[in-house]
Amino acid sequence: MQRKKLEGRRKTVIMVLVFIAVNILAVCLIGRREQRAIDGNLAEHAGETGTDFQEIMDNYKHSFRLFAQMMTQEIESHPDPDAIWDYLKSIDSKMLDIEGDTFDGLYMYYKGRYLYSWDTPYSQYEATGYAATERPWYKAAVEGKGEIVFTPPYMSYANHYILTTISQLQPDGETVFAYDIKMGDIQNLVSGLDRYEKEQVMIFDGSGTVIGSTEEKYLGGSLYASLDETEDSVIEAQKELEETDSGSAEELSKAKDKKVSAEAFYAFRQDFRDGLAKLLEKEDETVSLTLDGRSQLGYLHKEQEFSFLVLVPVLSIVKATMTVWLVPLLLTELLLIYVMGRVSKGIKNRELRDAYVELGQTQRRLEIALSAAQKAAAVDDLTGMMNFKSFRKEISMALEDMEEGESGILVMIDGDHFKSINDNYGHSVGDEVIKLTAQMIIGRIRTVDLASRLHGDEFAIFVANTSDHSVAKRIMEDINNTLGKEAKRRNMPSITLSAGAVIAKHGDTYISLAKAADEALYKAKVTHNGGFAYQ
């Protein structure tokens, strides 16, 4: 009897040790798989942010090319500087219509003179010793040797946005076209990122200046400045606040905002000091660090002169990658329970079947939850259309699947005067107009075609199996016609849709097609009444 008891205990100990050993091995293997998934997710997140950012910068350049073309034609027709100065003032409102809130003023250096679009008397510039050829925008344009260049951005605390100047030296080697832009589209991009809970994303330039951040108070701060220099910025902001005339509400508000931002960024830099050094040493690698007293994972990705920083709490990314480790871990545990149950005494066939049933139910619930999450991530919340990421993925797959000789048409669509609807009727009415527009677009295309809401009042469609631009043009005319009628029937304000189209063939990429379609769209947008153009 005693021997049987000892034998039973020995078997129990062996089973427990086997159970522990298998669990340790499983955790190690699943942990390695989880780490690879985390590395891949962070790299993809930073890379997609970089791609979206580059599209914004390309859009800035596309707009500038339109301005440069307009100025070149005007100079050829009316070369006198005074005439050009008058022309600059006359197209200020036109550029504002094209660019919206992004645009912030035109100027240029022409025939030894500084010309600009605003109403400030030139005497004010002379009084400050302003010399156009000594300004950063002029020097940057000369160094660019004909390339479109951006000067180092800075934070405008009076208006709460990052400002930069885009300029270009003209073929004569002396004339420089330039204008200021508000880089709000970059901040909108970063603010819209919600891939991980409580994540922080920053975009900064070659000098370390933050031009996009999920924490708006960090805008304009320099990640490359020393901690002492960052602290000096706080002291300088405090001094500026103390010296500000309390009678000027605007200047006082600007000084207060500057002080709050300087203090917030200094606190961040103090907390992030060691983490930043690690990330700079290990570019394009996942780095473990501590921020705000919490364990975080950081990833730094650089493209040309801009860098993209992603900081995510460990718990958030573990939740986001749950399908990578939870299903294998559950399967391992259930399999262990099954095997141990088979070899242990007292386990009956009914309990074994229950374990199998529970395993299948658990796996099915996880598969259903994963499928629902993937479907929700691919749909635009307001309209129910495909969102930008899923549309880009579908177009890329369609291009890969095309045979030689097959083609389609990518059409980029932008609403005309939509901003006035939001301003005059409010955003709730604007949302209804967007939803009605989406319904009209979906109702006018075939089941084999694709449609997406990109963002705001911008949409896109892909017309399959055709290379005839007139097909796309008829679709857009049909959409505009039915949209106007339906809006009138519902007593709603209406918009027209301008569109730019490009033929897509096997071997093309979504990015190249989108750029070409955007260029066509800029031509179509000139009339702001549902124009259509193609490349």
Side-chain angles (χ1 to χ4, degrees):
M1 180 65 69
Q2 188 66 24
R3 183 177 179 181
K4 288 182 178 181
K5 288 183 178 180
L6 291 174
E7 183 67 19
R9 290 176 182 174
R10 187 179 72 83
K11 290 181 177 180
T12 301
V13 170
I14 291 174
M15 290 175 64
V16 170
L17 292 175
V18 169
F19 186 86
I20 293 173
V22 171
N23 270 283
I24 291 174
L25 179 61
V27 168
C28 291
L29 294 175
I30 293 171
R32 291 180 62 184
R33 185 184 179 195
E34 167 73 355
Q35 185 61 53
R36 288 195 297 270
I38 288 174
D39 293 344
N41 281 5
L42 289 178
E44 180 184 20
H45 190 24
E48 287 182 351
T49 302
T51 299
D52 294 341
F53 168 83
Q54 194 57 54
E55 289 180 359
I56 291 173
M57 298 300 285
D58 288 343
N59 285 338
Y60 289 153
K61 289 183 178 180
H62 291 158
S63 300
F64 185 82
R65 290 190 185 99
L66 175 61
F67 164 64
Q69 183 178 7
M70 294 166 63
M71 292 307 305
T72 299
Q73 292 173 349
E74 186 64 21
I75 287 173
E76 290 175 354
S77 302
H78 305 89
D80 181 72
D82 289 331
I84 296 301
W85 199 353
D86 291 337
Y87 180 72
L88 275 178
K89 296 178 185 297
S90 71
I91 66 168
D92 193 72
S93 59
K94 184 182 295 185
M95 290 302 297
L96 182 61
D97 288 339
I98 295 173
E99 286 299 301
D101 292 338
T102 298
F103 170 75
D104 200 40
L106 307 168
Y107 47 96
M108 61 186 289
Y109 182 80
Y110 175 63
K111 291 190 176 181
R113 292 178 59 181
Y114 174 55
L115 310 178
Y116 49 90
S117 63
W118 41 85
D119 294 328
T120 306
Y122 191 73
S123 58
Q124 292 188 21
Y125 291 97
E126 289 181 318
T128 61
Y130 187 95
T133 55
E134 296 300 318
R135 304 302 296 173
W137 58 269
Y138 183 88
K139 292 182 177 180
V142 172
E143 291 177 3
K145 298 179 180 179
E147 295 294 324
I148 295 176
V149 296
F150 295 86
T151 55
Y154 63 93
M155 181 67 181
S156 172
Y157 291 97
N159 301 288
H160 298 283
Y161 50 66
I162 292 288
L163 267 177
T164 188
T165 301
I166 182 169
S167 60
Q168 183 183 33
L169 180 66
Q170 298 307 300
D172 64 4
E174 295 181 357
T175 301
V176 171
F177 296 153
Y179 63 63
D180 293 336
I181 58 173
K182 309 170 190 176
M183 305 183 81
D185 290 343
I186 296 172
Q187 183 60 13
N188 291 338
L189 165 66
V190 175
S191 300
L193 297 175
D194 56 356
R195 187 165 186 166
Y196 303 109
E197 183 181 356
K198 296 180 180 180
E199 72 172 335
Q200 289 192 58
V201 178
M202 290 186 189
I203 301 176
F204 55 95
D205 66 4
S207 63
T209 302
V210 179
I211 61 174
S213 172
T214 45
E215 179 55 65
E216 189 171 332
K217 292 177 183 177
Y218 298 163
L219 289 175
S222 175
L223 289 170
Y224 291 163
S226 68
L227 210 53
D228 290 340
E229 290 172 329
T230 308
E231 184 179 17
D232 289 341
S233 298
V234 177
I235 297 172
E236 181 183 340
Q238 176 64 40
K239 183 178 179 181
E240 184 176 323
L241 177 61
E242 293 170 353
E243 295 176 352
T244 300
D245 182 5
S246 59
S248 174
E250 183 178 346
E251 290 300 317
L252 188 61
S253 175
K254 172 184 173 181
K256 287 180 179 178
D257 287 347
K258 187 173 183 179
K259 176 177 176 293
V260 169
S261 294
E263 290 174 341
F265 189 69
Y266 178 58
F268 169 75
R269 284 296 311 277
Q270 283 182 306
D271 196 18
F272 193 48
R273 174 172 23 191
D274 295 334
L276 179 60
K278 290 180 181 178
L279 286 164
L280 291 173
E281 290 176 0
K282 297 184 177 181
E283 187 178 311
D284 289 326
E285 292 185 32
T286 302
V287 175
S288 299
L289 47 90
T290 301
L291 192 62
D292 292 334
R294 294 179 298 178
S295 296
Q296 305 230 3
L297 295 177
Y299 193 93
L300 180 64
H301 175 65
K302 187 174 182 180
E303 291 185 7
Q304 298 176 8
E305 68 269 32
F306 295 97
S307 298
F308 308 90
L309 173 62
V310 179
L311 299 171
V312 184
V314 171
L315 184 59
S316 296
I317 200 165
V318 168
K319 287 181 181 178
T321 57
M322 186 176 294
T323 55
V324 175
W325 59 268
L326 182 58
V327 172
L329 187 60
L330 286 175
L331 291 175
T332 300
E333 295 303 316
L334 290 171
L335 183 60
L336 272 174
I337 291 172
Y338 163 66
V339 172
M340 301 301 283
R342 288 283 294 177
V343 297
S344 65
K345 57 184 177 180
I347 300 298
K348 298 179 181 179
N349 289 336
R350 182 178 60 81
E351 295 172 328
L352 177 61
R353 286 194 298 270
D354 289 344
Y356 268 113
V357 170
E358 182 63 22
L359 172 61
Q361 291 175 343
T362 300
Q363 185 173 358
R364 180 58 181 161
R365 285 195 293 269
L366 289 171
E367 290 173 349
I368 292 173
L370 178 60
S371 177
Q374 290 172 337
K375 183 177 180 180
V379 174
D380 175 59
D381 291 337
L382 180 63
T383 63
M385 302 176 81
M386 273 192 289
N387 61 20
F388 168 69
K389 290 185 178 179
S390 58
F391 182 73
R392 181 169 64 183
K393 180 179 179 181
E394 290 294 328
I395 295 298
S396 298
M397 292 172 60
L399 292 171
E400 290 178 1
D401 293 338
M402 279 184 180
E403 300 289 343
E404 287 294 330
E406 289 185 340
S407 61
I409 298 179
L410 176 64
V411 184
M412 290 298 186
I413 305 170
D414 190 18
D416 301 318
H417 309 297
F418 178 73
K419 184 176 183 295
S420 64
I421 292 179
N422 279 334
D423 292 342
N424 296 328
Y425 299 95
H427 288 280
S428 60
V429 174
D431 286 348
E432 292 302 316
V433 172
I434 290 296
K435 288 192 282 187
L436 176 61
T437 302
Q439 293 169 11
M440 296 302 101
I441 291 174
I442 293 172
R444 306 277 79 76
I445 64 174
R446 304 165 300 176
T447 56
V448 295
D449 301 332
L450 302 172
S452 169
R453 181 192 179 205
L454 303 181
H455 46 75
D457 60 329
E458 297 180 14
F459 299 82
I461 61 176
F462 182 78
V463 185
N465 304 325
T466 183
S467 61
D468 187 353
H469 285 109
S470 65
V471 174
K473 184 177 181 180
R474 286 195 299 272
I475 291 174
M476 289 308 306
E477 289 173 347
D478 194 13
I479 292 171
N480 274 317
N481 186 36
T482 54
L483 177 58
K485 290 180 179 178
E486 187 64 18
K488 183 177 181 180
R489 188 183 71 80
R490 300 188 189 185
N491 197 25
M492 290 173 56
S494 179
I495 60 173
T496 56
L497 303 175
S498 294
V502 62
I503 295 175
K505 298 180 179 179
H506 179 75
D508 291 334
T509 66
Y510 175 84
I511 291 177
S512 64
L513 291 172
K515 287 181 179 178
D518 277 339
E519 290 176 359
L521 177 58
Y522 280 123
K523 299 176 183 177
K525 286 286 290 182
V526 172
T527 58
H528 289 278
N529 64 350
F532 179 90
Y534 58 89
Q535 289 285 74

